[in-house]
Amino acid sequence: MLAAHCPVCDVTQLYSYSHLHSLHNTPRGIQLVMDCYCGERFTVLTGRGVGNPLHSAASTV
Ligand SMILES: [Zn+2]
């Protein structure tokens, strides 16, 4: 399970790994593409150098 913030639901909730669509290492950090329970697909930037882990750069795809 991992916690992520859906910008559509505007709530941070726990997701099982089956909701993790993809994961990319980028120069800015680790970009997770998540599928929310509401059906929205959103990206989360996490990793070193990102101020607030898992919540700082959520946006819709
Ligand atoms: Zn949602």
Side-chain angles (χ1 to χ4, degrees):
M1 301 289 276
L2 60 101
H5 182 268
C6 173
V8 173
C9 299
D10 195 24
V11 66
T12 299
Q13 50 195 342
L14 287 172
Y15 296 93
S16 64
Y17 289 106
S18 63
H19 287 264
L20 177 60
H21 180 263
S22 63
L23 184 156
H24 306 280
N25 280 310
T26 73
R28 296 174 54 216
I30 302 166
Q31 184 186 59
L32 308 176
V33 179
M34 303 292 301
D35 289 321
C36 183
Y37 303 105
C38 71
E40 185 67 24
R41 181 165 289 168
F42 62 97
T43 62
V44 178
L45 194 63
T46 187
R48 288 186 202 176
V50 178
N52 186 11
L54 291 178
H55 305 186
S56 60
S59 62
T60 55
V61 174

